[in-house]
CSV table of all heavy atoms in Angstrom, one decimal:
chain,number,residue,atom,x,y,z
M,1,ILE,N,17.6,4.4,-16.9
M,1,ILE,CA,16.7,3.6,-16.2
M,1,ILE,C,15.3,4.2,-16.5
M,1,ILE,O,15.2,5.3,-17.1
M,1,ILE,CB,16.9,3.5,-14.7
M,1,ILE,CG1,17.1,4.9,-14.1
M,1,ILE,CG2,18.2,2.7,-14.4
M,1,ILE,CD1,17.3,4.9,-12.6
M,2,GLU,N,14.2,3.6,-16.1
M,2,GLU,CA,12.9,4.1,-16.3
M,2,GLU,C,11.9,3.7,-15.3
M,2,GLU,O,12.1,2.7,-14.5
M,2,GLU,CB,12.4,3.6,-17.7
M,2,GLU,CG,12.3,2.1,-17.8
M,2,GLU,CD,11.8,1.7,-19.2
M,2,GLU,OE1,10.8,2.2,-19.7
M,2,GLU,OE2,12.6,0.9,-19.9
M,3,LEU,N,10.8,4.5,-15.2
M,3,LEU,CA,9.8,4.2,-14.2
M,3,LEU,C,9.0,2.9,-14.7
M,3,LEU,O,8.9,2.6,-15.9
M,3,LEU,CB,8.7,5.3,-14.2
M,3,LEU,CG,9.2,6.6,-13.6
M,3,LEU,CD1,8.1,7.7,-13.6
M,3,LEU,CD2,9.8,6.5,-12.2
M,4,HIS,N,8.6,2.1,-13.7
M,4,HIS,CA,7.8,1.0,-14.0
M,4,HIS,C,6.4,1.4,-14.4
M,4,HIS,O,5.7,2.1,-13.6
M,4,HIS,CB,7.7,0.1,-12.7
M,4,HIS,CG,7.2,-1.3,-13.0
M,4,HIS,ND1,6.0,-1.6,-13.5
M,4,HIS,CD2,7.8,-2.5,-12.8
M,4,HIS,CE1,5.8,-2.9,-13.7
M,4,HIS,NE2,6.9,-3.5,-13.3
M,5,PRO,N,5.9,1.1,-15.6
M,5,PRO,CA,4.7,1.7,-16.1
M,5,PRO,C,3.5,1.2,-15.3
M,5,PRO,O,2.5,2.0,-15.2
M,5,PRO,CB,4.6,1.1,-17.5
M,5,PRO,CG,5.5,-0.1,-17.5
M,5,PRO,CD,6.6,0.2,-16.6
M,6,ASP,N,3.5,0.1,-14.6
M,6,ASP,CA,2.3,-0.4,-13.9
M,6,ASP,C,2.4,0.0,-12.4
M,6,ASP,O,1.4,-0.1,-11.7
M,6,ASP,CB,2.3,-2.0,-14.0
M,6,ASP,CG,2.1,-2.4,-15.4
M,6,ASP,OD1,1.4,-1.7,-16.2
M,6,ASP,OD2,2.6,-3.5,-15.7
M,7,LYS,N,3.6,0.4,-12.0
M,7,LYS,CA,3.7,0.7,-10.5
M,7,LYS,C,4.0,2.2,-10.3
M,7,LYS,O,4.3,2.6,-9.2
M,7,LYS,CB,4.8,-0.1,-9.9
M,7,LYS,CG,4.6,-1.6,-10.0
M,7,LYS,CD,5.8,-2.3,-9.4
M,7,LYS,CE,5.6,-3.8,-9.4
M,7,LYS,NZ,6.7,-4.6,-8.9
M,8,SER,N,3.8,3.0,-11.3
M,8,SER,CA,4.0,4.5,-11.2
M,8,SER,C,2.8,5.2,-11.6
M,8,SER,O,2.5,5.5,-12.8
M,8,SER,CB,5.2,4.9,-12.1
M,8,SER,OG,6.4,4.2,-11.7
M,9,LYS,N,2.0,5.6,-10.6
M,9,LYS,CA,0.7,6.2,-10.8
M,9,LYS,C,0.3,7.2,-9.8
M,9,LYS,O,1.0,7.3,-8.8
M,9,LYS,CB,-0.4,5.1,-10.8
M,9,LYS,CG,-0.3,4.1,-12.0
M,9,LYS,CD,-1.3,3.0,-11.9
M,9,LYS,CE,-1.2,2.0,-13.0
M,9,LYS,NZ,-2.2,0.9,-12.9
M,10,ILE,N,-0.7,8.0,-10.1
M,10,ILE,CA,-1.2,9.0,-9.2
M,10,ILE,C,-2.5,8.6,-8.5
M,10,ILE,O,-3.4,8.0,-9.1
M,10,ILE,CB,-1.5,10.4,-9.9
M,10,ILE,CG1,-0.1,10.9,-10.5
M,10,ILE,CG2,-2.1,11.4,-9.0
M,10,ILE,CD1,-0.3,12.0,-11.5
M,11,TYR,N,-2.5,8.8,-7.2
M,11,TYR,CA,-3.7,8.3,-6.4
M,11,TYR,C,-4.2,9.4,-5.5
M,11,TYR,O,-3.4,10.4,-5.2
M,11,TYR,CB,-3.3,7.1,-5.5
M,11,TYR,CG,-2.7,5.9,-6.2
M,11,TYR,CD1,-1.3,5.9,-6.4
M,11,TYR,CD2,-3.5,4.9,-6.7
M,11,TYR,CE1,-0.7,4.8,-7.1
M,11,TYR,CE2,-2.9,3.8,-7.3
M,11,TYR,CZ,-1.6,3.8,-7.5
M,11,TYR,OH,-1.0,2.7,-8.2
M,12,THR,N,-5.4,9.3,-5.1
M,12,THR,CA,-6.0,10.3,-4.1
M,12,THR,C,-5.6,9.8,-2.7
M,12,THR,O,-5.5,8.6,-2.4
M,12,THR,CB,-7.5,10.3,-4.2
M,12,THR,OG1,-8.0,9.0,-3.9
M,12,THR,CG2,-8.0,10.8,-5.5
M,13,LEU,N,-5.3,10.7,-1.8
M,13,LEU,CA,-4.9,10.4,-0.5
M,13,LEU,C,-6.1,9.6,0.2
M,13,LEU,O,-5.8,8.8,1.1
M,13,LEU,CB,-4.6,11.7,0.3
M,13,LEU,CG,-3.2,12.3,0.1
M,13,LEU,CD1,-3.1,13.6,0.9
M,13,LEU,CD2,-2.1,11.3,0.6
M,14,TYR,N,-7.3,9.9,-0.1
M,14,TYR,CA,-8.4,9.3,0.7
M,14,TYR,C,-8.6,7.8,0.3
M,14,TYR,O,-9.3,7.1,1.1
M,14,TYR,CB,-9.7,10.1,0.5
M,14,TYR,CG,-10.3,10.2,-0.9
M,14,TYR,CD1,-10.9,9.1,-1.5
M,14,TYR,CD2,-10.3,11.4,-1.5
M,14,TYR,CE1,-11.5,9.2,-2.7
M,14,TYR,CE2,-10.9,11.5,-2.8
M,14,TYR,CZ,-11.5,10.4,-3.4
M,14,TYR,OH,-12.0,10.5,-4.6
M,15,ASN,N,-8.0,7.4,-0.8
M,15,ASN,CA,-8.1,6.0,-1.1
M,15,ASN,C,-7.0,5.1,-0.4
M,15,ASN,O,-7.0,3.9,-0.4
M,15,ASN,CB,-8.0,5.7,-2.6
M,15,ASN,CG,-9.3,5.9,-3.3
M,15,ASN,OD1,-10.3,5.7,-2.8
M,15,ASN,ND2,-9.2,6.4,-4.6
M,16,GLY,N,-6.1,5.8,0.3
M,16,GLY,CA,-5.1,5.1,1.0
M,16,GLY,C,-3.8,5.0,0.2
M,16,GLY,O,-3.9,4.6,-1.0
M,17,ALA,N,-2.7,5.3,0.8
M,17,ALA,CA,-1.4,5.3,0.1
M,17,ALA,C,-0.7,4.0,0.5
M,17,ALA,O,-0.4,3.7,1.6
M,17,ALA,CB,-0.6,6.5,0.5
M,18,ASN,N,-0.4,3.2,-0.5
M,18,ASN,CA,0.4,2.0,-0.3
M,18,ASN,C,1.9,2.4,-0.4
M,18,ASN,O,2.4,2.8,-1.4
M,18,ASN,CB,0.2,0.9,-1.4
M,18,ASN,CG,-1.1,0.2,-1.2
M,18,ASN,OD1,-1.5,0.0,0.0
M,18,ASN,ND2,-1.8,-0.2,-2.2
M,19,PHE,N,2.6,2.4,0.8
M,19,PHE,CA,3.9,2.8,0.9
M,19,PHE,C,4.7,2.1,2.0
M,19,PHE,O,4.2,2.0,3.1
M,19,PHE,CB,4.0,4.3,1.1
M,19,PHE,CG,5.3,5.0,1.1
M,19,PHE,CD1,6.2,4.7,0.0
M,19,PHE,CD2,5.8,5.8,2.1
M,19,PHE,CE1,7.4,5.3,0.0
M,19,PHE,CE2,7.0,6.4,2.0
M,19,PHE,CZ,7.9,6.1,1.0
M,20,LEU,N,5.8,1.4,1.6
M,20,LEU,CA,6.7,0.7,2.5
M,20,LEU,C,5.9,-0.3,3.3
M,20,LEU,O,6.1,-0.4,4.5
M,20,LEU,CB,7.4,1.7,3.4
M,20,LEU,CG,8.3,2.7,2.6
M,20,LEU,CD1,9.0,3.6,3.6
M,20,LEU,CD2,9.3,2.0,1.8
M,21,GLY,N,5.0,-1.1,2.7
M,21,GLY,CA,4.4,-2.2,3.4
M,21,GLY,C,3.1,-1.8,4.1
M,21,GLY,O,2.5,-2.7,4.7
M,22,PHE,N,2.7,-0.5,4.1
M,22,PHE,CA,1.5,-0.1,4.8
M,22,PHE,C,0.6,0.5,3.8
M,22,PHE,O,1.0,1.1,2.8
M,22,PHE,CB,1.8,0.9,5.9
M,22,PHE,CG,2.4,0.3,7.2
M,22,PHE,CD1,3.7,0.2,7.4
M,22,PHE,CD2,1.5,-0.2,8.1
M,22,PHE,CE1,4.3,-0.3,8.5
M,22,PHE,CE2,2.0,-0.8,9.3
M,22,PHE,CZ,3.4,-0.8,9.5
M,23,ARG,N,-0.7,0.5,4.1
M,23,ARG,CA,-1.7,1.3,3.5
M,23,ARG,C,-2.1,2.4,4.4
M,23,ARG,O,-2.7,2.2,5.5
M,23,ARG,CB,-2.9,0.4,3.1
M,23,ARG,CG,-3.9,1.1,2.1
M,23,ARG,CD,-5.0,0.3,1.7
M,23,ARG,NE,-5.9,1.0,0.8
M,23,ARG,CZ,-7.1,0.6,0.4
M,23,ARG,NH1,-7.6,-0.5,0.9
M,23,ARG,NH2,-7.8,1.3,-0.4
M,24,ILE,N,-1.7,3.6,4.0
M,24,ILE,CA,-1.8,4.8,4.9
M,24,ILE,C,-3.0,5.6,4.6
M,24,ILE,O,-3.2,6.1,3.5
M,24,ILE,CB,-0.5,5.6,4.7
M,24,ILE,CG1,0.7,4.8,4.9
M,24,ILE,CG2,-0.6,6.8,5.8
M,24,ILE,CD1,2.0,5.5,4.6
M,25,PHE,N,-3.9,5.8,5.6
M,25,PHE,CA,-5.0,6.7,5.5
M,25,PHE,C,-4.7,7.9,6.4
M,25,PHE,O,-3.7,7.9,7.0
M,25,PHE,CB,-6.3,5.9,6.0
M,25,PHE,CG,-6.7,4.8,5.1
M,25,PHE,CD1,-6.2,3.5,5.4
M,25,PHE,CD2,-7.5,5.0,4.0
M,25,PHE,CE1,-6.6,2.4,4.6
M,25,PHE,CE2,-7.9,3.9,3.2
M,25,PHE,CZ,-7.4,2.7,3.5
M,26,TYR,N,-5.6,8.8,6.4
M,26,TYR,CA,-5.3,10.1,7.1
M,26,TYR,C,-5.2,9.8,8.6
M,26,TYR,O,-4.3,10.3,9.3
M,26,TYR,CB,-6.3,11.2,6.8
M,26,TYR,CG,-5.9,12.5,7.4
M,26,TYR,CD1,-4.9,13.3,6.8
M,26,TYR,CD2,-6.4,13.0,8.6
M,26,TYR,CE1,-4.5,14.5,7.3
M,26,TYR,CE2,-6.0,14.2,9.1
M,26,TYR,CZ,-5.0,14.9,8.5
M,26,TYR,OH,-4.6,16.1,9.0
M,27,HIS,N,-6.1,9.0,9.2
M,27,HIS,CA,-6.2,8.8,10.6
M,27,HIS,C,-5.6,7.5,11.1
M,27,HIS,O,-5.5,7.3,12.3
M,27,HIS,CB,-7.6,9.0,11.1
M,27,HIS,CG,-8.2,10.4,11.0
M,27,HIS,ND1,-7.8,11.4,11.9
M,27,HIS,CD2,-9.1,10.9,10.2
M,27,HIS,CE1,-8.4,12.5,11.6
M,27,HIS,NE2,-9.2,12.2,10.5
M,28,TYR,N,-5.2,6.7,10.2
M,28,TYR,CA,-4.6,5.4,10.6
M,28,TYR,C,-3.9,4.7,9.5
M,28,TYR,O,-4.0,5.2,8.3
M,28,TYR,CB,-5.7,4.4,11.1
M,28,TYR,CG,-6.7,4.0,10.1
M,28,TYR,CD1,-6.6,2.9,9.3
M,28,TYR,CD2,-7.9,4.8,9.9
M,28,TYR,CE1,-7.5,2.5,8.4
M,28,TYR,CE2,-8.8,4.4,8.9
M,28,TYR,CZ,-8.6,3.3,8.2
M,28,TYR,OH,-9.5,2.9,7.2
M,29,LYS,N,-3.1,3.7,9.8
M,29,LYS,CA,-2.4,2.9,8.8
M,29,LYS,C,-2.4,1.5,9.1
M,29,LYS,O,-2.4,1.1,10.3
M,29,LYS,CB,-0.9,3.4,8.6
M,29,LYS,CG,0.0,3.3,9.8
M,29,LYS,CD,1.4,3.6,9.4
M,29,LYS,CE,1.6,5.1,9.3
M,29,LYS,NZ,1.6,5.9,10.5
M,30,LEU,N,-2.5,0.6,8.1
M,30,LEU,CA,-2.6,-0.8,8.2
M,30,LEU,C,-1.6,-1.5,7.3
M,30,LEU,O,-1.2,-1.0,6.3
M,30,LEU,CB,-4.0,-1.3,7.9
M,30,LEU,CG,-5.2,-0.8,8.7
M,30,LEU,CD1,-6.5,-1.2,8.0
M,30,LEU,CD2,-5.1,-1.3,10.1
M,31,PRO,N,-1.1,-2.7,7.7
M,31,PRO,CA,-0.2,-3.4,6.8
M,31,PRO,C,-1.0,-3.8,5.6
M,31,PRO,O,-2.2,-4.0,5.6
M,31,PRO,CB,0.1,-4.7,7.6
M,31,PRO,CG,-0.2,-4.3,9.0
M,31,PRO,CD,-1.3,-3.4,9.0
M,32,LYS,N,-0.3,-3.9,4.4
M,32,LYS,CA,-0.9,-4.3,3.2
M,32,LYS,C,-1.5,-5.7,3.3
M,32,LYS,O,-0.9,-6.5,4.1
M,32,LYS,CB,0.2,-4.3,2.1
M,32,LYS,CG,0.6,-2.9,1.6
M,32,LYS,CD,1.8,-3.0,0.7
M,32,LYS,CE,1.6,-3.8,-0.5
M,32,LYS,NZ,2.7,-3.8,-1.4
M,33,LYS,N,-2.5,-6.0,2.6
M,33,LYS,CA,-3.2,-7.3,2.7
M,33,LYS,C,-2.3,-8.4,2.4
M,33,LYS,O,-2.3,-9.5,3.0
M,33,LYS,CB,-4.4,-7.3,1.8
M,33,LYS,CG,-5.6,-6.4,2.2
M,33,LYS,CD,-6.8,-6.5,1.3
M,33,LYS,CE,-7.9,-5.6,1.8
M,33,LYS,NZ,-9.1,-5.6,0.8
M,34,SER,N,-1.4,-8.2,1.4
M,34,SER,CA,-0.4,-9.2,1.0
M,34,SER,C,0.5,-9.5,2.2
M,34,SER,O,0.9,-10.7,2.4
M,34,SER,CB,0.4,-8.8,-0.2
M,34,SER,OG,1.1,-7.6,0.0
M,35,ASN,N,0.9,-8.5,3.0
M,35,ASN,CA,1.8,-8.7,4.1
M,35,ASN,C,1.1,-9.5,5.2
M,35,ASN,O,1.7,-10.3,5.9
M,35,ASN,CB,2.3,-7.4,4.7
M,35,ASN,CG,3.3,-6.8,3.7
M,35,ASN,OD1,3.8,-7.4,2.8
M,35,ASN,ND2,3.7,-5.5,3.9
M,36,ILE,N,-0.2,-9.2,5.4
M,36,ILE,CA,-1.0,-9.9,6.4
M,36,ILE,C,-1.1,-11.4,6.0
M,36,ILE,O,-1.0,-12.3,6.8
M,36,ILE,CB,-2.4,-9.3,6.6
M,36,ILE,CG1,-2.2,-7.9,7.2
M,36,ILE,CG2,-3.2,-10.1,7.5
M,36,ILE,CD1,-3.5,-7.1,7.3
M,37,LYS,N,-1.4,-11.7,4.7
M,37,LYS,CA,-1.5,-13.0,4.3
M,37,LYS,C,-0.2,-13.8,4.4
M,37,LYS,O,-0.2,-15.0,4.8
M,37,LYS,CB,-1.9,-13.0,2.8
M,37,LYS,CG,-3.4,-12.6,2.5
M,37,LYS,CD,-3.7,-12.7,1.0
M,37,LYS,CE,-5.1,-12.2,0.7
M,37,LYS,NZ,-5.4,-12.2,-0.7
M,38,LEU,N,0.9,-13.1,4.2
M,38,LEU,CA,2.2,-13.7,4.3
M,38,LEU,C,2.5,-14.1,5.7
M,38,LEU,O,3.0,-15.2,6.0
M,38,LEU,CB,3.3,-12.7,3.8
M,38,LEU,CG,4.8,-13.2,3.9
M,38,LEU,CD1,5.0,-14.4,3.0
M,38,LEU,CD2,5.7,-12.1,3.5
M,39,ILE,N,2.2,-13.2,6.7
M,39,ILE,CA,2.5,-13.5,8.1
M,39,ILE,C,1.6,-14.6,8.6
M,39,ILE,O,2.0,-15.5,9.4
M,39,ILE,CB,2.5,-12.3,9.0
M,39,ILE,CG1,3.1,-12.5,10.4
M,39,ILE,CG2,1.0,-11.8,9.2
M,39,ILE,CD1,4.6,-12.9,10.3
M,40,LYS,N,0.4,-14.7,8.1
M,40,LYS,CA,-0.5,-15.8,8.5
M,40,LYS,C,0.0,-17.1,8.0
M,40,LYS,O,-0.1,-18.1,8.7
M,40,LYS,CB,-1.9,-15.5,8.0
M,40,LYS,CG,-2.7,-14.4,8.7
M,40,LYS,CD,-4.1,-14.2,8.1
M,40,LYS,CE,-4.9,-13.2,9.0
M,40,LYS,NZ,-6.2,-13.0,8.4
M,41,ARG,N,0.5,-17.1,6.8
M,41,ARG,CA,1.1,-18.4,6.2
M,41,ARG,C,2.3,-18.8,7.0
M,41,ARG,O,2.5,-20.0,7.3
M,41,ARG,CB,1.5,-18.2,4.8
M,41,ARG,CG,0.3,-18.2,3.8
M,41,ARG,CD,0.7,-18.5,2.4
M,41,ARG,NE,1.7,-17.5,1.9
M,41,ARG,CZ,1.3,-16.4,1.2
M,41,ARG,NH1,0.0,-16.1,1.0
M,41,ARG,NH2,2.3,-15.5,0.8
M,42,ARG,N,3.1,-17.8,7.4
M,42,ARG,CA,4.3,-18.1,8.2
M,42,ARG,C,4.0,-18.7,9.6
M,42,ARG,O,4.5,-19.7,10.0
M,42,ARG,CB,5.2,-16.9,8.4
M,42,ARG,CG,5.9,-16.4,7.2
M,42,ARG,CD,6.8,-15.2,7.5
M,42,ARG,NE,7.9,-15.7,8.4
M,42,ARG,CZ,8.7,-14.8,9.0
M,42,ARG,NH1,8.5,-13.5,8.9
M,42,ARG,NH2,9.7,-15.3,9.8
């Protein structure tokens, strides 16, 4: 198997970590924008 070339990258912590549906910053975490749009449509 192999890593997805577009979804396997290195990021800085201060830009926020997209992980398991949240965008995680040091002092807080928010749902990803796509998840917020999805729940609004629902």
